[in-house]
Amino acid sequence: MYEDIKTYWRAYSFDHGESASHEDSEQRAKAAVDHLFDTLGSIRDTLKLDVDAALNGDPAAKGPTEIIRSYPGFTAILLYRVAHELYKQDVPYYPRELSEYAHSKTGIDIHPGAQIGDYFFIDHGTGVVIGETAIIGNNVRIYQGVTLGARSLPKRSIGPLRASKKKRHPTIEDNVIIYAGATIVGGPTVIGKDSIIYGSVFITDSVPEKTQVYLLPPPHQKMA
């Protein structure tokens, strides 16, 4: 990890026309890895809560070992929590590489910049997308196909928006459940705590606390 991060610091400097000495890259890489090692205990404690969330959220779960070894949602969360610590240290490229590895293995795409609280559970998980500036509170459960995304922008707007670091993805407050196929977009969009978002809805505006959002039933159909 140290060697990879050191290489990425030099690559980042080259990509952005900056000059970085070998010693500078070594110091940055060492500081990032040392910080990660210092936080491993707290990461482990948080992951225990994520396992508990899966145990209490999925009646099919047989025990912690099954969740840790075979649940794609837990694998994605584990790698996210490591990548997020490196992201906070401004380590270039490597955090995203970890998240893309998780994506390839699980079908779950969590950007390392997202902020995710304790007791987080992704059930099934395939097709979940969580964007860079998304904020997720404690005790949140989401299902497959959920997108926490950004609004589409013209290409000419991307550069200034990236430079501004403006929030582009929604905020999900505590104790929220988001069912399969729901899409929630926009930086100002807030899903209030204790809400339930049912499947296949498309949300662009904030939702108050303790609200249920769902589609009306389609017209009744029967074979002729």
Side-chain angles (χ1 to χ4, degrees):
M1 179 182 290
Y2 164 75
E3 292 295 333
D4 285 344
I5 291 175
K6 181 174 69 174
T7 299
Y8 285 142
W9 271 119
R10 299 184 71 182
Y12 180 85
S13 298
F14 178 81
D15 288 347
H16 292 80
E18 301 172 359
S19 59
S21 66
H22 183 74
E23 292 76 15
D24 185 49
S25 298
E26 284 186 335
Q27 290 175 0
R28 288 179 169 184
K30 184 178 184 304
V33 173
D34 286 348
H35 172 80
L36 178 62
F37 285 168
D38 288 342
T39 59
L40 284 179
S42 62
I43 291 174
R44 184 173 183 270
D45 290 341
T46 302
L47 289 170
K48 286 182 179 179
L49 296 176
D50 297 328
V51 171
D52 287 343
L55 276 172
N56 294 320
D58 183 8
K62 300 299 188 293
T65 299
E66 181 184 41
I67 292 165
I68 293 167
R69 299 284 296 180
S70 65
Y71 273 44
F74 181 77
T75 298
I77 293 167
L78 187 157
L79 288 170
Y80 154 78
R81 296 208 183 277
V82 172
H84 182 64
E85 287 300 325
L86 295 172
Y87 179 92
K88 291 193 298 184
Q89 298 301 304
D90 294 324
V91 172
Y93 307 141
Y94 194 79
R96 191 63 184 271
E97 188 172 281
L98 285 177
S99 69
E100 288 305 319
Y101 174 79
H103 187 191
S104 70
K105 292 294 183 181
T106 67
I108 298 167
D109 184 1
I110 308 176
H111 194 286
Q115 300 176 46
I116 300 176
D118 296 341
Y119 209 76
F120 182 50
F121 178 37
I122 302 174
D123 201 357
H124 303 294
T126 304
V128 165
V129 177
I130 300 174
E132 180 182 23
T133 62
I135 298 175
I136 298 175
N138 299 321
N139 190 28
V140 170
R141 185 195 316 169
I142 65 177
Y143 289 81
Q144 68 272 17
V146 167
T147 297
L148 305 181
R151 293 177 181 272
S152 180
L153 292 168
K155 186 176 180 180
R156 63 181 179 274
S157 301
I158 297 297
L161 184 60
R162 181 183 292 122
S164 72
K165 298 184 178 180
K166 184 177 179 180
K167 191 174 185 301
R168 310 185 307 278
H169 304 89
T171 296
I172 312 299
E173 294 187 341
D174 297 346
N175 311 318
V176 169
I177 300 174
I178 307 174
Y179 283 101
T183 298
I184 305 169
V185 300
T189 304
V190 178
I191 305 301
K193 65 182 181 180
D194 302 310
S195 292
I196 300 175
I197 308 301
Y198 287 97
S200 302
V201 299
F202 191 93
I203 296 175
T204 59
D205 296 311
S206 293
V207 171
E209 297 178 5
K210 300 180 180 180
T211 300
Q212 296 186 29
V213 180
Y214 53 89
L215 296 175
L216 292 174
H220 180 69
Q221 300 179 19
K222 62 181 180 180
M223 300 297 291

